[in-house]
Amino acid sequence: MEGMSGPYVIRGSVCLPEAELMWRFSRSSGPGGQHVNTSDSQVELRFDLVRTQALPPVWKERALSRLAGRLVDGVLTVRASEHRSQWRNRETAAVRLASLLAEATAPPPKPRRPTKIPRGINERRLREKKHRAETKRGRSPRDWS
């Protein structure tokens, strides 16, 4: 793994532990010439979210609930095959996994505090509505006879 630009930071001081990452390589689809038939450039990165000790328990619960649709037996899988080089695909997959976990473990947004409409604004709106209604009522063809 020398040359990799890890450790991949999720948020703060929490990183993806290299020991818990499971890599799998296969032949990538698409163009690439003769070399593509012999190189395993597609990368599949798997991270066991259920058994990991790297994440704080609160983060883990959040991630498990938010990523429930993407998990297979508690394992999160990310694929990368955009690049022709395996090394660049590894980088892409690891960064994608880190950002996915960062998003999934983020604290929920603060609840919105409902604001009250100032009385003056509400009164002006109602006054303008009445004025507009009067204008339109004046356009009516009734009472002309």
Side-chain angles (χ1 to χ4, degrees), residues 109-144:
K110 288 181 180 160
R112 183 186 168 278
R113 222 178 80 217
T115 53
K116 212 172 166 189
I117 299 171
R119 201 171 76 209
I121 290 175
N122 211 22
E123 285 173 357
R124 185 177 67 201
R125 181 182 62 86
L126 293 173
R127 205 171 35 246
E128 284 171 1
K129 273 181 79 163
K130 267 199 179 84
H131 180 70
R132 185 93 180 123
E134 284 300 316
T135 306
K136 287 191 170 196
R137 196 174 293 126
R139 293 181 189 154
S140 151
R142 62 188 164 81
D143 300 333
W144 285 100

Short mmCIF file of all heavy atoms in Angstrom, two decimals, residues 109-144:
data_model
loop_
_atom_site.label_atom_id
_atom_site.label_comp_id
_atom_site.label_asym_id
_atom_site.label_seq_id
_atom_site.Cartn_x
_atom_site.Cartn_y
_atom_site.Cartn_z
N PRO A 109 -29.48 18.03 11.31
CA PRO A 109 -29.55 19.49 11.35
C PRO A 109 -30.39 19.97 12.54
O PRO A 109 -31.28 19.25 13.01
CB PRO A 109 -30.23 19.85 10.02
CG PRO A 109 -30.93 18.63 9.59
CD PRO A 109 -30.16 17.48 10.16
N LYS A 110 -30.09 21.18 13.00
CA LYS A 110 -30.86 21.73 14.13
C LYS A 110 -32.30 21.93 13.69
O LYS A 110 -32.56 22.33 12.55
CB LYS A 110 -30.26 23.08 14.54
CG LYS A 110 -28.93 22.93 15.24
CD LYS A 110 -28.40 24.28 15.65
CE LYS A 110 -27.06 24.09 16.34
NZ LYS A 110 -26.26 25.33 16.33
N PRO A 111 -33.24 21.64 14.59
CA PRO A 111 -34.64 21.81 14.20
C PRO A 111 -34.95 23.28 13.92
O PRO A 111 -34.42 24.17 14.59
CB PRO A 111 -35.42 21.31 15.42
CG PRO A 111 -34.46 21.31 16.55
CD PRO A 111 -33.09 21.16 15.96
N ARG A 112 -35.79 23.52 12.95
CA ARG A 112 -36.14 24.88 12.57
C ARG A 112 -37.04 25.49 13.63
O ARG A 112 -38.03 24.89 14.04
CB ARG A 112 -36.86 24.85 11.22
CG ARG A 112 -37.20 26.21 10.69
CD ARG A 112 -38.05 26.09 9.42
NE ARG A 112 -38.62 27.36 9.06
CZ ARG A 112 -39.72 27.88 9.58
NH1 ARG A 112 -40.36 27.24 10.53
NH2 ARG A 112 -40.17 29.04 9.18
N ARG A 113 -36.67 26.70 14.04
CA ARG A 113 -37.50 27.40 15.02
C ARG A 113 -38.52 28.22 14.25
O ARG A 113 -38.15 29.11 13.48
CB ARG A 113 -36.63 28.31 15.88
CG ARG A 113 -37.01 28.26 17.33
CD ARG A 113 -36.11 29.11 18.18
NE ARG A 113 -36.54 30.51 18.09
CZ ARG A 113 -35.71 31.53 18.07
NH1 ARG A 113 -34.42 31.34 18.14
NH2 ARG A 113 -36.15 32.76 17.99
N PRO A 114 -39.80 27.93 14.42
CA PRO A 114 -40.79 28.68 13.65
C PRO A 114 -40.79 30.15 14.05
O PRO A 114 -40.74 30.47 15.23
CB PRO A 114 -42.11 28.00 13.99
CG PRO A 114 -41.86 27.19 15.19
CD PRO A 114 -40.39 26.95 15.30
N THR A 115 -40.82 31.02 13.06
CA THR A 115 -40.82 32.45 13.34
C THR A 115 -42.23 32.99 13.19
O THR A 115 -43.04 32.44 12.43
CB THR A 115 -39.89 33.21 12.37
OG1 THR A 115 -40.26 32.87 11.05
CG2 THR A 115 -38.44 32.85 12.61
N LYS A 116 -42.53 34.07 13.92
CA LYS A 116 -43.85 34.65 13.88
C LYS A 116 -43.85 35.81 12.90
O LYS A 116 -42.91 36.61 12.89
CB LYS A 116 -44.20 35.15 15.29
CG LYS A 116 -45.65 35.06 15.63
CD LYS A 116 -45.85 35.39 17.09
CE LYS A 116 -47.32 35.63 17.35
NZ LYS A 116 -47.55 36.17 18.68
N ILE A 117 -44.89 35.91 12.09
CA ILE A 117 -44.98 37.03 11.16
C ILE A 117 -45.36 38.26 11.96
O ILE A 117 -46.34 38.23 12.73
CB ILE A 117 -46.04 36.75 10.07
CG1 ILE A 117 -45.66 35.51 9.27
CG2 ILE A 117 -46.23 37.95 9.15
CD1 ILE A 117 -46.72 35.02 8.32
N PRO A 118 -44.61 39.37 11.80
CA PRO A 118 -44.96 40.58 12.55
C PRO A 118 -46.38 41.06 12.24
O PRO A 118 -46.85 40.94 11.10
CB PRO A 118 -43.93 41.61 12.05
CG PRO A 118 -42.80 40.80 11.51
CD PRO A 118 -43.39 39.53 11.01
N ARG A 119 -47.05 41.58 13.26
CA ARG A 119 -48.46 41.97 13.11
C ARG A 119 -48.65 43.03 12.02
O ARG A 119 -49.60 42.98 11.23
CB ARG A 119 -49.01 42.47 14.44
CG ARG A 119 -50.53 42.40 14.46
CD ARG A 119 -51.10 42.67 15.82
NE ARG A 119 -51.04 44.11 16.10
CZ ARG A 119 -50.92 44.63 17.31
NH1 ARG A 119 -50.81 43.85 18.35
NH2 ARG A 119 -50.87 45.93 17.48
N GLY A 120 -47.73 43.98 11.95
CA GLY A 120 -47.83 45.06 10.97
C GLY A 120 -47.83 44.54 9.54
O GLY A 120 -48.60 45.00 8.70
N ILE A 121 -46.97 43.57 9.29
CA ILE A 121 -46.87 42.99 7.94
C ILE A 121 -48.16 42.26 7.59
O ILE A 121 -48.69 42.39 6.47
CB ILE A 121 -45.64 42.05 7.84
CG1 ILE A 121 -44.37 42.89 7.88
CG2 ILE A 121 -45.70 41.21 6.58
CD1 ILE A 121 -43.10 42.09 7.92
N ASN A 122 -48.70 41.52 8.54
CA ASN A 122 -49.94 40.78 8.31
C ASN A 122 -51.10 41.73 8.05
O ASN A 122 -51.90 41.53 7.14
CB ASN A 122 -50.23 39.88 9.51
CG ASN A 122 -50.96 38.62 9.12
OD1 ASN A 122 -50.92 38.19 7.96
ND2 ASN A 122 -51.65 38.03 10.07
N GLU A 123 -51.17 42.81 8.85
CA GLU A 123 -52.25 43.79 8.67
C GLU A 123 -52.15 44.46 7.31
O GLU A 123 -53.16 44.68 6.64
CB GLU A 123 -52.20 44.84 9.80
CG GLU A 123 -52.71 44.30 11.11
CD GLU A 123 -52.51 45.26 12.27
OE1 GLU A 123 -51.92 46.35 12.06
OE2 GLU A 123 -52.95 44.92 13.37
N ARG A 124 -50.92 44.81 6.89
CA ARG A 124 -50.73 45.46 5.59
C ARG A 124 -51.16 44.51 4.47
O ARG A 124 -51.83 44.94 3.52
CB ARG A 124 -49.26 45.84 5.42
CG ARG A 124 -49.03 46.63 4.14
CD ARG A 124 -47.61 47.08 3.99
NE ARG A 124 -46.74 45.91 3.80
CZ ARG A 124 -45.43 45.91 4.05
NH1 ARG A 124 -44.83 46.97 4.51
NH2 ARG A 124 -44.72 44.80 3.85
N ARG A 125 -50.83 43.23 4.58
CA ARG A 125 -51.21 42.24 3.57
C ARG A 125 -52.74 42.17 3.46
O ARG A 125 -53.30 42.18 2.36
CB ARG A 125 -50.64 40.87 3.95
CG ARG A 125 -50.95 39.76 2.96
CD ARG A 125 -50.40 38.43 3.42
NE ARG A 125 -50.97 37.97 4.66
CZ ARG A 125 -52.10 37.26 4.77
NH1 ARG A 125 -52.78 36.93 3.70
NH2 ARG A 125 -52.55 36.89 5.95
N LEU A 126 -53.42 42.12 4.60
CA LEU A 126 -54.89 42.03 4.59
C LEU A 126 -55.52 43.31 4.02
O LEU A 126 -56.50 43.26 3.28
CB LEU A 126 -55.42 41.76 6.00
CG LEU A 126 -55.06 40.38 6.56
CD1 LEU A 126 -55.48 40.26 8.01
CD2 LEU A 126 -55.70 39.27 5.75
N ARG A 127 -54.90 44.46 4.36
CA ARG A 127 -55.39 45.75 3.85
C ARG A 127 -55.27 45.78 2.32
O ARG A 127 -56.20 46.18 1.61
CB ARG A 127 -54.58 46.88 4.49
CG ARG A 127 -55.32 48.20 4.54
CD ARG A 127 -54.64 49.27 5.35
NE ARG A 127 -53.19 49.28 5.31
CZ ARG A 127 -52.42 49.02 6.37
NH1 ARG A 127 -52.96 48.71 7.53
NH2 ARG A 127 -51.11 49.07 6.26
N GLU A 128 -54.11 45.31 1.80
CA GLU A 128 -53.90 45.29 0.35
C GLU A 128 -54.85 44.33 -0.34
O GLU A 128 -55.32 44.59 -1.45
CB GLU A 128 -52.44 44.95 0.05
CG GLU A 128 -51.51 46.11 0.30
CD GLU A 128 -50.03 45.73 0.21
OE1 GLU A 128 -49.73 44.55 -0.06
OE2 GLU A 128 -49.19 46.62 0.43
N LYS A 129 -55.15 43.20 0.32
CA LYS A 129 -56.09 42.23 -0.25
C LYS A 129 -57.48 42.86 -0.37
O LYS A 129 -58.17 42.70 -1.38
CB LYS A 129 -56.19 40.99 0.64
CG LYS A 129 -55.15 39.93 0.34
CD LYS A 129 -55.30 38.73 1.22
CE LYS A 129 -56.41 37.83 0.73
NZ LYS A 129 -56.35 36.49 1.30
N LYS A 130 -57.89 43.58 0.69
CA LYS A 130 -59.21 44.22 0.67
C LYS A 130 -59.27 45.26 -0.44
O LYS A 130 -60.27 45.35 -1.18
CB LYS A 130 -59.46 44.90 2.03
CG LYS A 130 -60.19 44.02 3.01
CD LYS A 130 -60.80 44.86 4.12
CE LYS A 130 -61.56 43.97 5.08
NZ LYS A 130 -60.72 43.36 6.09
N HIS A 131 -58.20 46.04 -0.57
CA HIS A 131 -58.15 47.09 -1.59
C HIS A 131 -58.24 46.47 -2.99
O HIS A 131 -58.97 46.97 -3.86
CB HIS A 131 -56.85 47.90 -1.44
CG HIS A 131 -56.72 48.99 -2.43
ND1 HIS A 131 -57.52 50.12 -2.38
CD2 HIS A 131 -55.90 49.14 -3.51
CE1 HIS A 131 -57.19 50.91 -3.39
NE2 HIS A 131 -56.20 50.33 -4.09
N ARG A 132 -57.53 45.39 -3.20
CA ARG A 132 -57.53 44.70 -4.48
C ARG A 132 -58.92 44.14 -4.77
O ARG A 132 -59.42 44.20 -5.90
CB ARG A 132 -56.49 43.56 -4.44
CG ARG A 132 -56.32 42.86 -5.75
CD ARG A 132 -55.18 43.46 -6.53
NE ARG A 132 -55.00 42.78 -7.79
CZ ARG A 132 -55.05 43.39 -8.96
NH1 ARG A 132 -55.27 44.68 -9.04
NH2 ARG A 132 -54.87 42.71 -10.06
N ALA A 133 -59.58 43.58 -3.74
CA ALA A 133 -60.93 43.03 -3.90
C ALA A 133 -61.90 44.14 -4.30
O ALA A 133 -62.76 43.93 -5.18
CB ALA A 133 -61.37 42.36 -2.62
N GLU A 134 -61.76 45.32 -3.68
CA GLU A 134 -62.62 46.47 -4.02
C GLU A 134 -62.42 46.87 -5.48
O GLU A 134 -63.38 47.13 -6.20
CB GLU A 134 -62.29 47.66 -3.11
CG GLU A 134 -62.83 47.54 -1.70
CD GLU A 134 -64.34 47.42 -1.65
OE1 GLU A 134 -65.04 48.17 -2.36
OE2 GLU A 134 -64.82 46.53 -0.91
N THR A 135 -61.15 46.92 -5.91
CA THR A 135 -60.83 47.28 -7.29
C THR A 135 -61.49 46.31 -8.24
O THR A 135 -62.12 46.72 -9.23
CB THR A 135 -59.30 47.25 -7.50
OG1 THR A 135 -58.68 48.05 -6.53
CG2 THR A 135 -58.92 47.73 -8.88
N LYS A 136 -61.40 45.03 -7.96
CA LYS A 136 -61.97 44.02 -8.85
C LYS A 136 -63.50 44.06 -8.80
O LYS A 136 -64.15 43.83 -9.82
CB LYS A 136 -61.45 42.63 -8.47
CG LYS A 136 -60.01 42.43 -8.86
CD LYS A 136 -59.59 41.01 -8.72
CE LYS A 136 -58.23 40.81 -9.34
NZ LYS A 136 -57.93 39.41 -9.57
N ARG A 137 -64.06 44.34 -7.62
CA ARG A 137 -65.51 44.40 -7.49
C ARG A 137 -66.03 45.57 -8.34
O ARG A 137 -67.12 45.51 -8.91
CB ARG A 137 -65.92 44.57 -6.03
CG ARG A 137 -67.40 44.26 -5.81
CD ARG A 137 -67.81 44.28 -4.34
NE ARG A 137 -67.17 43.20 -3.61
CZ ARG A 137 -66.46 43.37 -2.50
NH1 ARG A 137 -66.25 44.58 -2.02
NH2 ARG A 137 -65.92 42.34 -1.89
N GLY A 138 -65.25 46.65 -8.40
CA GLY A 138 -65.63 47.81 -9.21
C GLY A 138 -65.66 47.52 -10.70
O GLY A 138 -66.33 48.21 -11.45
N ARG A 139 -64.96 46.51 -11.13
CA ARG A 139 -64.94 46.14 -12.55
C ARG A 139 -66.14 45.30 -12.95
O ARG A 139 -66.35 45.06 -14.13
CB ARG A 139 -63.67 45.34 -12.86
CG ARG A 139 -62.41 46.14 -12.73
CD ARG A 139 -61.23 45.26 -13.07
NE ARG A 139 -59.99 45.92 -12.77
CZ ARG A 139 -58.86 45.31 -12.47
NH1 ARG A 139 -58.84 43.99 -12.46
NH2 ARG A 139 -57.76 45.99 -12.21
N SER A 140 -66.88 44.83 -11.99
CA SER A 140 -67.99 43.93 -12.25
C SER A 140 -69.09 44.63 -13.03
O SER A 140 -69.40 45.79 -12.75
CB SER A 140 -68.49 43.39 -10.91
OG SER A 140 -69.84 43.09 -10.99
N PRO A 141 -69.73 43.95 -14.00
CA PRO A 141 -70.75 44.61 -14.84
C PRO A 141 -72.10 44.77 -14.14
O PRO A 141 -72.99 45.39 -14.67
CB PRO A 141 -70.86 43.66 -16.04
CG PRO A 141 -70.48 42.33 -15.52
CD PRO A 141 -69.46 42.59 -14.45
N ARG A 142 -72.28 44.24 -12.95
CA ARG A 142 -73.59 44.32 -12.29
C ARG A 142 -73.83 45.75 -11.77
O ARG A 142 -72.91 46.54 -11.65
CB ARG A 142 -73.70 43.29 -11.17
CG ARG A 142 -72.70 43.47 -10.06
CD ARG A 142 -72.74 42.30 -9.08
NE ARG A 142 -71.54 42.32 -8.27
CZ ARG A 142 -71.38 43.09 -7.19
NH1 ARG A 142 -72.36 43.88 -6.82
NH2 ARG A 142 -70.28 43.06 -6.52
N ASP A 143 -75.06 46.04 -11.45
CA ASP A 143 -75.51 47.35 -10.95
C ASP A 143 -75.33 48.46 -11.98
O ASP A 143 -75.16 49.62 -11.63
CB ASP A 143 -74.78 47.74 -9.64
CG ASP A 143 -75.03 46.73 -8.54
OD1 ASP A 143 -76.09 46.07 -8.58
OD2 ASP A 143 -74.19 46.62 -7.63
N TRP A 144 -75.33 48.16 -13.27
CA TRP A 144 -75.22 49.20 -14.29
C TRP A 144 -76.60 49.60 -14.79
O TRP A 144 -76.75 50.61 -15.47
CB TRP A 144 -74.37 48.72 -15.47
CG TRP A 144 -72.91 48.70 -15.13
CD1 TRP A 144 -72.16 47.62 -14.77
CD2 TRP A 144 -72.00 49.81 -15.11
NE1 TRP A 144 -70.87 47.98 -14.50
CE2 TRP A 144 -70.74 49.33 -14.71
CE3 TRP A 144 -72.15 51.18 -15.38
CZ2 TRP A 144 -69.63 50.16 -14.59
CZ3 TRP A 144 -71.04 51.99 -15.25
CH2 TRP A 144 -69.79 51.50 -14.86
#
